[in-house]
Amino acid sequence: LLPAVIPTQVIRPTPIPDVDEIARGEVPPDLQKQIDQNNPKDPAKADQEEKNLVIAAREQVDKAKKMATAAGKRIADWHIECQWQAQVRMVIEDVGRIGTGVLKGPVPIEKPTVKWANGQLVMGKKIIPGSIRIDPCNFFPDGACGENIHNGGGTWERDYLSRKQFRALKGRQDYIDEQIDKCLV
């Protein structure tokens, strides 16, 4: 097995300044004023409400950190499954050879699955997001995009398929089976 060199800790929760301050025990003055107004005669109840607010903010920050870490691990797993590193190496080779490279993603990639369930081997398929290298000679951005590809109206990509590969597109949601049949005649 190849070592997992894709970092899993790159995703962090978005910092929300108010929640972060409250989680550290620093209740903003306007919120403190609102708590005091809700409990004018009972300072102990106001203090308890403030403590509950700090605890809830800490729980929210902790939950966001756990979810970000889990998302990072999941994305790293998808990268490993779709052989992201191999695709990037090919793009780097293109860059060294002709000065540009194209990495397309996320794209849906169908992966076979094998699992053991109820005493028998079950074969299936799953769709995972992935990245693929596109040959720059087969990639055509809108001519009106200028220096920034995002200013264009779209892109075209030429792809060469064998009859077998083309026939395998039947049954997928993103292709029309009748049109494939007409092309295969």
Side-chain angles (χ1 to χ4, degrees), residues 37-165:
Q37 286 176 353
N38 288 346
N39 304 296
K41 297 179 182 179
D42 193 359
K45 189 173 181 184
D47 288 341
Q48 185 59 41
E49 192 172 326
E50 185 178 332
K51 288 177 185 176
N52 291 343
L53 182 65
V54 170
I55 290 169
R58 284 183 184 153
E59 288 173 356
Q60 186 176 2
V61 169
D62 289 343
K63 181 179 178 184
K65 286 178 183 178
K66 287 178 185 175
M67 291 175 72
T69 300
K73 287 179 182 177
R74 184 67 179 131
I75 292 169
D77 182 54
W78 283 332
H79 278 126
I80 290 167
E81 282 188 52
C82 77
Q83 297 178 342
W84 177 82
Q85 294 163 326
Q87 298 295 320
V88 170
R89 280 193 297 272
M90 289 189 286
V91 171
I92 292 170
E93 188 176 308
D94 288 340
V95 170
R97 189 170 39 89
I98 61 174
T100 191
V102 181
L103 185 67
K104 179 180 175 182
V107 294
I109 296 176
E110 192 174 273
K111 287 284 188 179
T113 61
V114 180
K115 61 182 175 182
W116 191 261
N118 299 328
Q120 54 182 306
L121 193 62
V122 178
M123 308 271 298
K125 295 178 184 175
K126 68 178 179 176
I127 304 290
I128 63 167
S131 300
I132 56 172
R133 172 240 181 214
I134 303 297
D135 184 347
C137 297
N138 293 329
F139 181 75
F140 305 96
D142 183 3
C145 70
E147 293 292 319
N148 187 345
I149 195 168
H150 299 288
N151 292 337
T155 62
W156 288 93
E157 179 185 336
R158 178 175 47 205
D159 204 357
Y160 298 101
L161 299 174
S162 67
R163 286 183 70 80
K164 180 180 178 182
Q165 290 170 319

